[in-house]
Amino acid sequence: MELWPWLSAALLLLLLLVPLSRAARFYAKVALYCALCLAISVVASAACLLRHGGRTVENMRIISWFIRSFKYLYGLRFDVKGRQKLEVDHPCVIISNHQSILDMMGLMEVLPRRCVQIAKRELLFMGPVGLVMYLGGVFFINRQCPSTAMTVMAEVGERMVAENVPVIPVVYSSLSSFYDARTKLFTSGTIKVEVLDAIPTAGLTVVDVPTLMDTCYRAMRTTFFHLSQMPQEDRAAAKPGAQPAQ
């Protein structure tokens, strides 16, 4: 299936949305985004199966290529700083802040090769989206069963500090200048992305994990406000969802 006819049709639809009200344009763009995710998932799944024959993290390179094309349709630009810090020859844990449905595009901009992602189990049952995530080697956790999810994450934490795996935070600036669900704003814009220095875990134990989390959170929060160029007086009123979540 050719991808460009779908993108051309989507672009034409966006042009037709210009005369509509702000709220109508917002909902139409979000609906189009979701529709594109479904369509691209079908195409990418087929490509993954043809290329690698099944589930493997190598498929994420194919998936990433498709998703990165979304930014051209929506007029988004990613200004990435410190990308070379992700080019390491040893295991690491990458964490980032979450803001909206657009996060997926930002993630694919900096995703290194052979990076295994963790996602909520509910996404596995979202038809083509769940299929393509499965084929991409995504690891699913059941957030509806806190004990299971916490056990999985605890095991990850134990293994991380036991093997001295560093944590690399990735911070995305606020999207509020061009995307805001509350005010129904959805235009084009630039997203600043900064890869922070790796935070070492050498010498730490499971007991130190909460302190490690707090260290990551504070570093990401400071960078978030800096990238977003948010005045000091506005920081206390910033949307919690835009800041790094612990």
Side-chain angles (χ1 to χ4, degrees):
M1 180 182 293
E2 290 291 336
L3 177 62
W4 292 113
W6 287 91
L7 293 179
S8 300
L11 180 59
L12 178 60
L13 179 58
L14 285 180
L15 293 176
L16 294 176
L17 293 176
V18 174
L20 299 180
S21 68
R22 178 166 168 166
R25 289 199 303 269
F26 174 83
Y27 286 117
K29 285 186 175 182
V30 170
L32 176 61
Y33 181 84
C34 295
L36 280 174
C37 286
L38 289 173
I40 291 300
S41 294
V42 173
V43 177
S45 294
C48 290
L49 289 171
L50 289 173
R51 181 67 178 86
H52 294 114
R55 175 179 168 89
T56 170
V57 70
E58 294 292 345
N59 282 329
M60 197 53 67
R61 297 183 65 188
I62 299 174
I63 300 169
S64 175
W65 182 85
F66 280 104
I67 294 177
R68 290 200 308 272
S69 65
F70 285 18
K71 64 184 176 185
Y72 302 111
L73 182 63
Y74 281 89
L76 299 179
R77 179 176 177 270
F78 291 88
D79 184 6
V80 183
K81 177 182 178 182
R83 189 191 298 269
Q84 72 282 358
K85 296 176 183 177
L86 293 174
E87 298 173 358
V88 295
D89 56 359
H90 54 75
C92 66
V93 174
I94 302 173
I95 59 176
S96 64
N97 54 320
H98 169 61
Q99 299 183 69
S100 73
I101 59 174
L102 304 182
D103 291 343
M104 179 175 61
M105 285 190 285
L107 173 65
M108 295 304 168
E109 284 292 319
V110 299
L111 192 71
R113 292 191 59 181
R114 299 194 59 78
C115 179
V116 178
Q117 301 176 60
I118 297 177
K120 57 183 181 181
R121 187 169 177 265
E122 294 88 338
L123 295 175
L124 179 60
F125 305 102
M126 291 184 61
V129 175
L131 174 60
V132 78
M133 292 178 70
Y134 172 81
L135 292 173
V138 174
F139 187 77
F140 297 94
I141 59 174
N142 186 1
R143 298 200 307 182
Q144 301 302 318
C145 183
S147 59
T148 301
M150 290 300 294
T151 299
V152 172
M153 297 310 295
E155 291 176 355
V156 172
E158 291 179 10
R159 180 173 180 179
M160 180 180 70
V161 296
E163 299 183 7
N164 298 328
V165 178
V167 179
I168 303 181
V170 179
V171 183
Y172 301 88
S173 64
S174 173
L175 311 180
S176 60
S177 63
F178 62 88
Y179 180 90
D180 192 329
R182 295 177 304 171
T183 61
K184 303 300 179 287
L185 173 68
F186 196 169
T187 59
S188 58
T190 298
I191 303 171
K192 294 182 179 179
V193 186
E194 183 168 346
V195 181
L196 305 188
D197 292 332
I199 298 176
T201 61
L204 301 184
T205 65
V206 177
V207 178
D208 301 307
V209 171
T211 302
L212 176 63
M213 291 173 60
D214 186 63
T215 299
C216 295
Y217 176 80
R218 291 178 181 276
M220 294 176 70
R221 187 173 188 272
T222 299
T223 304
F224 172 81
F225 287 133
H226 174 70
L227 291 177
S228 305
Q229 298 180 335
M230 190 174 294
Q232 187 70 34
E233 58 271 17
D234 294 341
R235 297 185 178 187
K239 293 188 300 178
Q243 301 180 40
Q246 292 199 42

